[in-house]
Amino acid sequence: MYEGPGKVEVHEIDYPEFELKDGPGVNPANVGRKLPHAAILKTVATNICGSDQHMVRGRTTAPPGLVLGHEITGEVVETGPGVEFVKTGDLVSVPFNISCGRCRNCKEGKTGICENVNPDRPGSAYGYVDMGGWIGGQAEYVLVPYADWNLLKFRDKDRAMEKILDLAMLADIFPTGFHGCVTAGVGPGSTVYIAGAGPVGLAAAASAFLLGAAVVIVADLNKERLDQARSFGCETVNIALGEPRDQIEQLLGEPEVDCAVDAVGFEARGHGREAEVERPATVLNSLMDVTRAGGAIGIPGLYVTGDPGASDEAAKQGSLSIRIGLGWAKSHEFATGQCPVMRYNRQLMQAILHDRVQIAKAVNATPILLDEAPRGYHEFDQGAARKYVLDPHGLLSRTS
């Protein structure tokens, strides 16, 4: 539970019901909403995400008392009367996007901008600020609405539990990294530049290899995270040493790449001497600089409409000094927004189960108990090259 800037605590909360109750962050228009189409899950794995860290750092308008967690894998223990196909005992992955399956956007596969789950604007997620108030999954049990639509079932539970740390990445970061690469146009023989060696950046790097990239370059200023990227075949750029363009030229013999992915978002820092100074537009501008004319840039990194901790008034409103003229001149394509997880999660599940990718190894997935979550948040915030996976029922320790 988020309790204020820099403060995460573990508390007892009520067992879920098939109705959305009032509470911190719950949109008043959602209070009392009946959920006969929902399922209650016993949480098997629930991950700490960099997006959660933005809230914990106090960089959003998240209220104290908000239950965190949008990366959920679990076992169905109850279903509402409107659930037809999901059954008690099913082991499932939960897309972090909450979507209804009924609106125009959902029917077009744009599940990241569902029109019916967040009264404020299209798009929702569990345990996240301004997303409608759906209770987060960093808990022992969690409610999932529109269960028949949202849940991805693992048909062989024993086989799935053998790869549960890998499969836990299907809720968000693996599809998100993959989406960043797909929208950037990564394909066989591509040269790819990925800004950010956190879990999403590392997932994007693994995805780039899965898509056939010839060279994957990952940039960061954290040595431990750059070492993690190199552990599975990536080239690396340390932005503390200077501009990416110069280092890319040393690696490739030319200063530009075919494709680029922003896996950093709005808390970006500068390059070289400004590597410790927050410069929220730096990543986007540098990607336009290093991406060839006619190339594309995938932007799964989070940008917000309100950042109370920003260094200037414009950035507090989500306005950044982006060199759109450069992007226009180079005919770049840009793709932003939540990854529509359901577009990819079934295929990526198959890649995991058939040993085509080791995503847990790539992101250094590390299980810890739910009570250890505050430590996990602290270490992640300090730059640990790990993807912390919370284990509320001690099930992961038996398989890892």
Side-chain angles (χ1 to χ4, degrees), residues 48-103:
I48 295 176
C49 181
S51 299
D52 297 323
Q53 284 286 18
H54 293 306
M55 290 186 288
V56 173
R57 291 187 189 119
R59 297 299 295 268
T60 72
T61 57
L66 184 73
V67 179
L68 300 164
H70 56 269
E71 301 188 19
I72 307 162
T73 308
E75 180 182 357
V76 177
V77 293
E78 286 189 60
T79 58
V83 177
E84 185 175 1
F85 303 110
V86 169
K87 305 298 182 184
T88 299
D90 286 349
L91 185 64
V92 295
S93 177
V94 185
F96 80 90
N97 324 108
I98 301 173
S99 57
C100 70
R102 295 152 166 79
C103 70

Side-chain angles (χ1 to χ4, degrees), residues 35-357:
L35 306 170
H37 44 68
I40 296 173
L41 308 188
K42 176 182 179 180
T43 305
V44 173
T46 176
N47 313 335
I48 295 176
C49 181
S51 299
D52 297 323
Q53 284 286 18
H54 293 306
M55 290 186 288
V56 173
R57 291 187 189 119
R59 297 299 295 268
T60 72
T61 57
L66 184 73
V67 179
L68 300 164
H70 56 269
E71 301 188 19
I72 307 162
T73 308
E75 180 182 357
V76 177
V77 293
E78 286 189 60
T79 58
V83 177
E84 185 175 1
F85 303 110
V86 169
K87 305 298 182 184
T88 299
D90 286 349
L91 185 64
V92 295
S93 177
V94 185
F96 80 90
N97 324 108
I98 301 173
S99 57
C100 70
R102 295 152 166 79
C103 70
R104 174 180 175 177
N105 284 339
C106 284
K107 289 177 180 179
E108 292 177 357
K110 301 171 184 175
T111 53
I113 44 173
C114 174
E115 297 174 335
N116 289 331
V117 289
N118 182 0
D120 283 337
R121 62 175 183 269
S124 188
Y126 304 89
Y128 212 83
V129 60
D130 296 331
M131 288 289 186
W134 301 90
I135 305 303
Q138 288 175 11
E140 294 174 316
Y141 297 89
V142 63
L143 183 93
V144 176
Y146 304 103
D148 280 330
W149 165 255
N150 281 304
L151 296 178
L152 174 67
K153 179 181 175 180
F154 305 137
R155 295 193 178 277
D156 186 331
K157 290 177 68 173
D158 292 337
R159 185 182 180 194
M161 286 303 296
E162 291 174 1
K163 294 181 178 290
I164 193 64
L165 279 182
D166 296 274
L167 295 170
M169 302 304 126
L170 291 174
D172 182 356
I173 66 164
F174 193 12
T176 293
F178 194 84
H179 179 64
C181 289
V182 169
T183 55
V186 177
S190 298
T191 57
V192 186
Y193 177 81
I194 297 170
V200 170
L202 295 172
S207 298
F209 284 124
L210 192 60
L211 289 163
V215 181
V216 179
I217 303 170
V218 178
D220 208 295
L221 50 74
N222 181 315
K223 182 183 181 301
E224 186 181 358
R225 289 181 172 182
L226 292 175
D227 289 343
Q228 180 65 25
R230 282 192 292 272
S231 73
F232 60 99
C234 300
E235 302 288 347
T236 57
V237 162
N238 188 336
I239 61 169
L241 301 179
E243 290 299 321
R245 186 179 185 89
D246 300 331
Q247 298 179 64
I248 289 170
E249 186 166 21
Q250 292 175 11
L251 291 168
L252 299 179
E254 57 184 351
E256 292 184 329
V257 294
D258 298 323
C259 322
V261 177
D262 175 1
V264 177
F266 72 102
E267 287 192 67
R269 298 186 182 277
H271 298 152
R273 295 179 179 178
E274 293 191 335
E276 296 301 322
V277 180
E278 190 165 302
R279 296 284 186 263
T282 297
V283 169
L284 292 172
N285 288 332
S286 69
L287 295 191
M288 287 186 276
D289 183 44
V290 304
T291 303
R292 69 175 182 86
I297 299 171
I299 311 174
L302 176 67
Y303 289 87
V304 293
T305 56
D307 175 10
S311 57
D312 62 72
E313 289 303 315
K316 288 180 180 179
Q317 307 302 318
S319 295
L320 309 181
S321 298
I322 298 170
R323 296 184 65 193
I324 192 65
L326 176 60
W328 189 94
K330 296 177 79 171
S331 294
H332 285 154
E333 295 180 10
F334 302 87
T336 66
Q338 285 188 29
C339 163
V341 170
M342 293 172 68
R343 189 177 298 175
Y344 309 106
N345 62 352
R346 185 174 299 277
Q347 300 94 309
L348 296 178
M349 173 187 71
Q350 293 288 81
I352 289 169
L353 292 175
H354 292 280
D355 299 317
R356 297 301 179 188
V357 64

